[in-house]
Amino acid sequence: VEPVPIVTFLSDYGLDDPFVGICHAMVARTAPRVRVIDLTHGVPKHDVAVGSVLLADCVPHLPPPVTLAVVDPGVGTARRAVAAAAEGPGGPHWFVGPDNGLLAPALAVLGGAVQAIHLAEPAGVSATFHGRDVFAPAAARLADGAQPDELGGAIDPGGLCDLALPRPQVSVGRLETVVLSVDRFGNLALAASPEDLRDARFRTGQWLALTAYPGGTRAARLARAFADVAEGHLVVLVDSNSRVAVAVRGASAAERLEAKAGTRMTLSARGMPAA
Amino acid sequence: VEPVPIVTFLSDYGLDDPFVGICHAMVARTAPRVRVIDLTHGVPKHDVAVGSVLLADCVPHLPPPVTLAVVDPGVGTARRAVAAAAEGPGGPHWFVGPDNGLLAPALAVLGGAVQAIHLAEPAGVSATFHGRDVFAPAAARLADGAQPDELGGAIDPGGLCDLALPRPQVSVGRLETVVLSVDRFGNLALAASPEDLRDARFRTGQWLALTAYPGGTRAARLARAFADVAEGHLVVLVDSNSRVAVAVRGASAAERLEAKAGTRMTLSARGMPAA
Amino acid sequence: VEPVPIVTFLSDYGLDDPFVGICHAMVARTAPRVRVIDLTHGVPKHDVAVGSVLLADCVPHLPPPVTLAVVDPGVGTARRAVAAAAEGPGGPHWFVGPDNGLLAPALAVLGGAVQAIHLAEPAGVSATFHGRDVFAPAAARLADGAQPDELGGAIDPGGLCDLALPRPQVSVGRLETVVLSVDRFGNLALAASPEDLRDARFRTGQWLALTAYPGGTRAARLARAFADVAEGHLVVLVDSNSRVAVAVRGASAAERLEAKAGTRMTLSARGMPAA
């Protein structure tokens, strides 16, 4: 049995309009045997930074061979439409989307782009819906086995628009960073890794002073799972994407801390308030 | 390889309840080889007019052979359940849904219905969920190759409930119309075509006075793309469905103009306010 | 043609994050020929009771052979991950999810679990996302034909966590119960069956006094369909899941009665207010 080629798909199109459905229809018409898996279409509208984080988080789990990603506030401007490949576990994995930084952190997870194409615009392309007119057909054709050079001209993968995730400031006993994304449950993913926790010499089980700006300082426990703190308590843990995250067991940390993507946050071993 | 038959699916069921999932399940049980593509289920509840516009916008992009559309405030009344076929590019394209006008603008895009069936109600049909009990099984069977007369009795396609989209009033220098639909980004699709812009003698690049009722008058530029105006400015353009649309670059025109489906709107070459 | 094995999928993950998409990706990577049908991911977050009702409502319509259900406030605690089979119409139907009661009403619809497995945790499992790490792969493997004992050790199906739906109190002329769930249209599904209406000696067409707590008493008609009352009027009917439901024709009963899941409600043949 020949494996079904898959296009995974992330966007800020939402599901209340037919944008996503029409992109699915375009894939089905371009390459009927290709299957589409929706990652999410709930990226906040035009938020390239949050979209790039969510896409990067998906990378370790993506089936081959193509991912379509569209968060495209510059549609209709001179920004390029691109396809870029990195080395996936079973061969090249292609990312198709606008060259505005959205794809960069995902490509970085796989070691960076090794090949890139500036997608040619088909005749009759609209000025506002390149997901339908440019990106979905290109993704479908790549998944269906088209040679990359059928889709446009090769460009230098080193010249793709970069978008580095923010890096935390770490010293012994202190970690300063920002919220990268907030999920449905109000859990806050921070721009920090387990290595950063180690560099700060934080220990599992330790109480930390957690400060959100603007806003106050609260006690939070560094733990392995939600279940390691009592209902309603703040916990700092490593989430399922290997990011440091702040959560409240059974409630929303985003509401508790009035935090959102971009909120500055500090974890400190000193100055801990009464729990 | 035999092509996979596809049912495209639009409704006002939303995704917070299992309505859509159960319709998918019914298709899978009725005709396992048929694939379902969701267009959108975010039509405002019971809003046949907006649903009919979104469905018509999808028509040029639909893979064959069947589209299932359910916005059905009259479920359980005497309104008919129907399947109606128009001539698609590759043969008849069937639309399955309630005979309440929802299907009419979509059929009109393909030149009108040439064949119609009054769907027979299966035994044990519920009084409230014909998507599951009547429409999804009929769509699945049609896509799977059933003969239309297996599904019910032929009716006069000219007798289907009509629902014409509103027509604009156009004179030289002036276009009066209404908002047909609003998308996630706050872009407003108007009941007007590029021909209407030509008839009004508006020129690309021209500033127009845009009046929303109730509400004030603002300057808006007639342009090709969002990118032709500065961030935060109003732009009138032809959208990806070939409708005249009002947008704000990088923000929501619906919020700026307090407009929604049905809002009256006038574009005028005279009486333009200071930009 | 060999039938495509299907995993039906319900959760409280929502669609704004990539949780659901990553579970789809895991199924595709684990068992490429398995197809996933989303039932709904709009279960209110962490609401095991409402999730269990929605899942049970889906049961009569589920294609075989596996349903994946995740509403899992106890992820990372000692609650078990399980797969449990009941006798479906075409053989065993497996339900995969947390052993917290979520699966119990669904299993009961099919006569109860006849077989159960305590799922082994794969190496490297996260503490927060068992949908991805435990449940989706197990569901994919079961649908793909794996033997249950490859997934973990057999356990007593009688020892699974139970979660009985609330039972109404019925006497002649009176029915006391609670709201089980609310759909997008504001229809209220009650914990009551057509048999309960018969036991109360209510007759179709009869006016009843409907009391929601807290809140007042209103007249509602017991009817067969929305269409049997005038626009804007309250109606009590048997819904498409064979539950007694309260609705307002053309509007939201949830808004009218300020009711939600858990709201107490009484139907009475006496003390009817002026309609």
Side-chain angles (χ1 to χ4, degrees), chain A residues 11-21 41-43, chain B residues 40 184-185, chain C residues 16:
Chain A
S11 78
D12 69 341
Y13 285 151
L15 295 172
D16 283 344
D17 306 299
F19 299 127
V20 168
H41 301 289
V43 174
Chain B
T40 182
R184 178 187 209 207
F185 300 94
Chain C
D16 284 344

Side-chain angles (χ1 to χ4, degrees), chain A residues 12-19 21-22 24-25 28-29 32 34 41-43 45-46 75-77 126-129 132, chain B residues 6 15 35 37-42 54 58 60-63 182-185 224-227 237 239-241 249-250:
Chain A
D12 69 341
Y13 285 151
L15 295 172
D16 283 344
D17 306 299
F19 299 127
I22 288 174
H24 278 245
R29 291 171 62 206
V34 171
H41 301 289
V43 174
K45 53 187 179 185
H46 292 169
V75 64
T77 69
S126 70
T128 56
F129 192 6
R132 176 190 76 188
Chain B
I6 293 174
L15 294 172
R35 200 203 299 181
I37 292 180
D38 295 301
L39 296 170
T40 182
H41 301 289
L54 296 180
C58 290
H61 314 293
L62 296 174
V182 183
D183 72 20
R184 178 187 209 207
F185 300 94
R224 203 189 64 84
F226 302 120
L237 46 69
D239 73 12
S240 61
N241 299 310
R249 183 172 177 189

Side-chain angles (χ1 to χ4, degrees), chain B residues 68-88:
Chain B
L68 168 62
V70 189
V71 180
D72 195 14
V75 64
T77 69
R79 71 93 189 91
R80 298 184 295 189
V82 297
E87 283 303 330

Side-chain angles (χ1 to χ4, degrees), chain B residues 175 177-181 188-193 243-246 265 267:
Chain B
L175 191 161
T177 186
V178 298
V179 175
L180 286 180
S181 65
L188 308 168
L190 304 184
S193 69
R243 297 193 196 282
V244 177
V246 175
M265 210 159 271
L267 296 172

Side-chain angles (χ1 to χ4, degrees), chain B residues 24-111:
Chain B
H24 277 246
M26 287 306 290
V27 172
R29 291 169 62 207
T30 305
R33 72 190 185 104
V34 171
R35 200 203 299 181
V36 180
I37 292 180
D38 295 301
L39 296 170
T40 182
H41 301 289
V43 174
K45 52 188 179 185
H46 291 169
D47 196 330
V48 175
V50 167
S52 76
V53 169
L54 296 180
L55 186 65
D57 285 348
C58 290
V59 164
H61 314 293
L62 296 174
V66 177
T67 297
L68 168 62
V70 189
V71 180
D72 195 14
V75 64
T77 69
R79 71 93 189 91
R80 298 184 295 189
V82 297
E87 283 303 330
H93 190 99
W94 285 91
F95 294 84
V96 175
D99 184 24
N100 60 8
L102 177 68
L103 311 178
L107 287 160
V109 170
L110 295 175

Side-chain angles (χ1 to χ4, degrees), chain C residues 11-241:
Chain C
S11 79
D12 69 341
Y13 285 151
L15 294 172
D16 284 344
D17 306 299
F19 299 126
V20 168
I22 288 175
C23 289
H24 278 245
M26 288 305 290
V27 171
R29 292 170 62 208
T30 305
R33 72 189 187 104
V34 171
R35 199 202 301 181
V36 180
I37 291 180
D38 295 301
L39 296 170
T40 182
H41 302 289
V43 174
K45 52 187 180 186
H46 291 169
D47 195 330
V48 175
V50 167
S52 76
V53 169
L54 296 180
L55 186 64
D57 285 348
C58 291
V59 164
H61 314 293
L62 296 174
V66 177
T67 297
L68 168 62
V70 189
V71 179
D72 195 14
V75 63
T77 68
R79 71 94 188 90
R80 298 184 295 189
V82 297
E87 283 305 328
H93 190 98
W94 285 91
F95 294 85
V96 175
D99 184 25
N100 61 8
L102 176 68
L103 312 178
L107 287 160
V109 170
L110 294 175
V114 294
Q115 193 177 354
I117 298 290
H118 181 173
L119 297 173
E121 290 198 358
V125 66
S126 71
T128 57
F129 192 7
H130 287 195
R132 177 190 74 188
D133 297 338
V134 179
F135 299 122
R141 290 175 65 194
L142 276 172
D144 202 35
Q147 292 305 308
D149 62 9
E150 297 173 39
L151 300 173
I155 54 176
D156 175 12
L160 292 172
C161 181
D162 200 10
L163 183 76
L165 299 186
R167 288 293 309 154
Q169 295 223 310
V170 187
S171 54
V172 173
R174 187 176 173 87
L175 190 161
E176 285 188 62
T177 186
V178 297
V179 174
L180 286 180
S181 65
V182 183
D183 71 21
R184 179 187 209 207
F185 300 94
N187 302 319
L188 308 168
L190 305 184
S193 69
E195 288 70 38
D196 297 320
L197 294 177
R198 277 201 289 277
D199 290 348
R201 311 258 172 94
F202 295 150
R203 300 175 315 278
T204 301
Q206 184 176 1
W207 287 90
L208 300 171
L210 169 69
T211 306
Y213 300 89
T217 295
R218 289 167 178 84
R221 189 160 194 185
L222 182 59
R224 202 189 66 85
F226 300 121
D228 294 333
V229 299
E231 200 78 11
H233 282 233
L234 275 162
V235 57
V236 177
L237 44 69
V238 176
D239 73 10
S240 61
N241 298 308

